[in-house]
Amino acid sequence: QQQVKQSPQSLIVQKGGISIINCAYENTAFDYFPWYQQFPGKGPALLIAIRPDVSEKKEGRFTISFNKSAKQFSLHIMDSQPGDSATYFCAASIWNSGGYQKVTFGTGTKLQVIP
Amino acid sequence: ETGVTQTPRHLVMGMTNKKSLKCEQHLGHNAMYWYKQSAKKPLELMFVYNFKEQTENNSVPSRFSPECPNSSHLFLHLHTLQPEDSALYLCASSRGPQETQYFGPGTRLLVL
C-alpha cells in the first residue's frame, strides 16, 4: 500500500515535444507529491511538487496534473530540451509516527530528449 | 549546488573492510537522512535523524551503523558488507522533518 508505481521506465522524446510520465499510488493518506530530477553523478533534486487539494500546478515548462479520485498524478514537460535528459522520480509522502515526512519513491523514468 | 556534500564519491571495499561515509550539510537544516539507491529500484530510506536524534531505522542490517554528532554532519559506518550492498548511498537534509529533502551527490559503493 506504500508503493508508488511509475511508468514508463524509459522515454525518448524529440526536442520540442511533450514528455509525459505517469505515477499511481494506493495510500490515500499521502499528502504531498514531489517530483525529483536526477542527472548522472548527482543526487535527486526537487523539481516541482503538489498537494492533493490542487488538480494542477505549473512551473515554467513543467506541469503536474493530479487526479485524486483515480489516485494518479503525472508530470508533463512542455517543449522538451536535450538539457532535460535525466532520470525523473515521482514520490509521495506521509507524516510518519517517527515525526517526519516519509517519502516513498517511484522506480524512475529515464528521459532522453533527442535533437 | 544543493549545499549537501558527501565523501568519498566512490568507494571500493572488500567484505571484511571497515569504512565510513561522510555527509555534511551547509544549509542550517535540522533533519538528515540516509538513502540507498539501487538500479531499477525505488530509493530506500535507511535512517532518519532529527536534531541529532535517530527517529527511524528502516529495518537496516546492523552492518550499517549511522552516527550523527551534530545537525550538520552524518556518518554511515560500514562493516562486513555483502556484494548486494553495492549501490549509490545518498544523504539528504531538510529544515525540519516535515520539509522538502535536499540530496547530496551520493557515494557510489562497490563491495567485492
Side-chain angles (χ1 to χ4, degrees):
Chain A
Q1 197 176 19
Q2 292 289 353
Q3 271 190 322
V4 175
K5 296 182 180 179
Q6 183 173 349
S7 63
Q9 188 173 337
S10 62
L11 182 62
I12 299 175
V13 173
Q14 202 86 26
K15 178 183 175 181
I18 303 174
S19 304
I20 302 175
I21 304 170
N22 300 299
C23 286
Y25 63 97
E26 289 295 323
N27 189 348
T28 56
F30 286 133
D31 59 5
Y32 183 66
F33 299 86
W35 283 88
Y36 284 85
Q37 180 188 54
Q38 185 175 24
F39 292 105
K42 303 281 188 179
L46 179 68
L47 185 63
I48 186 172
I50 197 169
R51 298 214 178 261
D53 53 346
V54 176
S55 62
E56 185 176 284
K57 183 173 182 180
K58 184 176 180 179
E59 290 184 1
R61 296 184 294 108
F62 300 91
T63 300
I64 299 178
S65 297
F66 190 86
N67 186 330
K68 189 173 181 178
S69 60
K71 292 185 285 186
Q72 295 176 347
F73 58 111
S74 59
L75 176 70
H76 295 238
I77 306 174
M78 312 300 288
D79 187 27
S80 298
Q81 299 296 312
D84 297 330
S85 298
T87 300
Y88 293 81
F89 294 92
C90 63
S93 70
I94 185 174
W95 185 256
N96 182 272
S97 59
Y100 67 96
Q101 282 283 348
K102 183 167 185 176
V103 184
T104 301
F105 289 85
T107 50
T109 296
K110 188 172 183 179
L111 171 66
Q112 184 181 359
V113 181
I114 54 177
Chain B
E1 180 57 56
T2 61
V4 179
T5 58
Q6 291 187 242
T7 55
R9 295 294 310 276
H10 301 273
L11 179 62
V12 180
M13 59 187 289
M15 289 192 286
T16 58
N17 291 160
K18 288 184 182 181
K19 296 287 184 183
S20 296
L21 310 184
K22 179 182 177 182
C23 174
E24 184 173 0
Q25 58 95 1
H26 312 275
L27 302 169
H29 289 171
N30 297 309
M32 298 187 77
Y33 313 77
W34 279 116
Y35 284 88
K36 177 183 179 181
Q37 185 176 31
S38 305
K40 299 183 180 178
K41 291 178 68 176
L43 273 75
E44 301 171 51
L45 178 66
M46 300 175 71
F47 302 102
V48 180
Y49 277 82
N50 187 25
F51 287 98
K52 303 185 298 176
E53 298 296 322
Q54 186 180 124
T55 57
E56 180 75 21
N57 176 339
N58 201 24
S59 302
V60 180
S62 59
R63 58 185 183 269
F64 294 90
S65 174
E67 179 189 0
C68 189
N70 56 62
S71 293
S72 298
H73 294 86
L74 185 64
F75 295 89
L76 188 62
H77 304 298
L78 314 173
H79 177 52
T80 59
L81 295 190
Q82 304 299 310
E84 59 265 28
D85 296 323
S86 299
L88 181 68
Y89 289 85
L90 291 161
C91 173
S93 71
S94 62
R95 179 163 25 194
Q98 71 278 23
E99 306 275 353
T100 298
Q101 297 174 22
Y102 293 85
F103 287 83
T107 294
R108 175 70 64 184
L109 173 66
L110 176 62
V111 181
L112 300 176

